[in-house]
Amino acid sequence: FIADRAYTVVRIDAIHSTAGTDAGAVTLQPRKSTGVQAPASGVVLTTATHNLKGTVETVTNFTLTATTADRDLAVGNRLSVDITGVTTAVAGVVVTVTLRRK
C-alpha cells in the first residue's frame, strides 16, 4: 500500500491457510517504509510477529506499537510485510490493515 493522503494505522490482522514446513522460524512483520527504505528496514508497526508456521486459519490481531508517530502515514509512505525465514509450503497469507484518515 502506498499512502495517497495522511492516515493512521488503527488495526492490523493476519492469517494464513497453509503453515510453513521449513525447519527454521518463518514470520511476518508489518512495517512502514518512508523515502527509499526497503521493507525490512522500515519502522515496525506491531509488538510481535505473525508465526507462519503456527495454527492455520487463526487470525492474529496484532498489538500496535505504542509510538503514535510510527503508526502515522504521510503521502508516499508505504505499508509492507517483512517475511523472515524460508516460506516453504506457506500459502493463503492475508494481511488486513485498517486505516483512519487524518
Side-chain angles (χ1 to χ4, degrees):
F1 173 78
I2 301 173
D4 60 348
R5 60 171 295 146
Y7 294 98
T8 299
V9 176
V10 295
R11 182 180 174 117
I12 302 175
D13 298 300
I15 190 169
H16 62 282
S17 61
T18 304
T21 58
D22 189 68
V26 184
T27 62
L28 176 150
Q29 176 76 64
R31 293 182 181 258
K32 173 182 85 173
S33 297
T34 61
V36 296
Q37 281 182 319
S41 300
V43 174
V44 173
L45 294 173
T46 61
T47 61
T49 60
H50 176 74
N51 179 4
L52 291 169
K53 291 175 65 177
T55 305
V56 299
E57 305 298 351
T58 301
V59 176
T60 295
N61 172 239
F62 289 101
T63 299
L64 299 175
T65 178
T67 307
T68 306
D70 288 350
R71 297 190 320 259
D72 288 340
L73 302 175
V75 173
N77 288 172
R78 298 170 313 282
L79 293 178
S80 57
V81 291
D82 179 21
I83 296 177
T84 61
V86 179
T87 58
T88 306
V90 173
V93 178
V94 177
V95 178
T96 303
V97 179
T98 304
L99 302 172
R100 181 181 67 232
R101 289 182 174 194
K102 291 187 77 174

